Amino acid sequence: RIKMSAENNDMPMHYVTTRDEAREIAKGKKHYWVSDCGCRKGNESGCKRSPVDVCLCWAGPYGSTEENVRELNEEELKKLFKLAEEKHLVTRPFRKWDPETKSVIDETDGVCFCCDCCCAYFTEPGEVCDKGPSIEKTDRDSCTDCGACVDVCYFKARKMENGKLEIINDNCYGCGLCVDVCSCITMTKR
């Protein structure tokens, strides 16, 4: 456990992972709780992508809103990750906050399942988030420039330019959503 001091704490609260990496982080915890997502609760028009109760925590029975908190069993946890796959939600684990030192501790407490219509990180850029341990790798020889991956890339690491796919690797946070829609893409270690 690495503790950052309040004076030089540059460690963001959130970081990005693929779903498989997030599953691995969550694996073997004694308890799992889910609560309502603060970002989704704050979206007056409602989330277009998923239900509200998707904030996962294993450090204690709380979440981003402390509303609608309930314990999950292993089967319900699998369903939450399946929902994230089906609805193209970005897994953003969050680190522990130490209220005494007012700093972030490098210990993961849970996972946010973020959408592009509610998550403050995407709707109000400015929140700092660490890139994940993985990065996309596109087989350009197999790529047909169909653009399917562009629609699921909330980080704007992929765009179409004159009918051709352009990849901006500096924008890739390693969520792996592009892999869900294209067999030409794999994730590799950053």
Side-chain angles (χ1 to χ4, degrees):
R1 183 162 132 157
I2 301 167
K3 192 169 184 177
M4 304 284 291
S5 73
E7 292 78 36
N8 67 0
N9 186 1
D10 293 336
M11 187 184 305
M13 179 68 76
H14 289 92
Y15 60 100
V16 173
T17 63
T18 65
R19 277 187 309 280
D20 288 342
E21 290 164 343
R23 273 189 201 98
E24 195 59 34
I25 293 166
K27 193 169 157 181
K29 305 298 183 206
K30 289 182 181 180
H31 298 279
Y32 302 99
W33 292 274
V34 71
S35 72
D36 287 352
C37 165
C39 292
R40 285 174 179 80
K41 294 283 284 191
N43 184 348
E44 293 175 11
S45 61
C47 185
K48 297 175 187 79
R49 219 172 262 289
S50 77
V52 175
D53 59 340
V54 294
C55 185
L56 175 66
C57 186
W58 48 77
Y62 62 86
S64 68
T65 63
E66 297 187 26
E67 292 179 30
N68 196 25
V69 178
R70 61 185 168 80
E71 193 162 2
L72 296 181
N73 61 34
E74 290 286 336
E75 194 56 38
E76 291 168 316
L77 181 66
K78 286 179 189 173
K79 286 180 183 177
L80 180 58
F81 275 100
K82 184 68 175 163
L83 174 77
E85 179 181 351
E86 291 168 356
K87 301 296 183 178
H88 302 295
L89 304 178
V90 173
T91 48
R92 287 196 330 139
F94 55 90
R95 297 177 174 111
K96 183 182 286 295
W97 175 255
D98 183 346
E100 274 186 38
T101 63
K102 294 182 174 47
S103 63
V104 175
I105 299 170
D106 196 10
E107 181 180 322
T108 303
D109 272 357
V111 178
C112 290
F113 292 89
C114 299
C115 65
D116 56 339
C117 64
C118 299
C119 178
Y121 183 79
F122 299 112
T123 62
E124 300 169 20
E127 178 189 340
V128 180
C129 180
D130 276 343
K131 292 180 178 179
S134 297
I135 191 166
E136 72 80 39
K137 182 177 179 186
T138 302
D139 179 353
R140 299 298 286 170
D141 293 334
S142 300
C143 178
T144 63
D145 297 307
C146 72
C149 59
V150 173
D151 294 334
V152 297
C153 184
Y154 307 155
F155 295 98
K156 301 186 181 3
R158 311 175 83 74
K159 67 179 183 176
M160 295 301 291
E161 194 70 43
N162 299 320
K164 295 285 183 193
L165 176 66
E166 185 179 321
I167 301 167
I168 305 104
N169 271 329
D170 285 347
N171 290 358
C172 180
Y173 272 68
C175 68
L177 294 188
C178 54
V179 175
D180 293 342
V181 297
C182 182
S183 60
C184 299
I185 309 167
T186 56
M187 298 303 290
T188 186
K189 290 297 169 197
R190 190 174 292 278

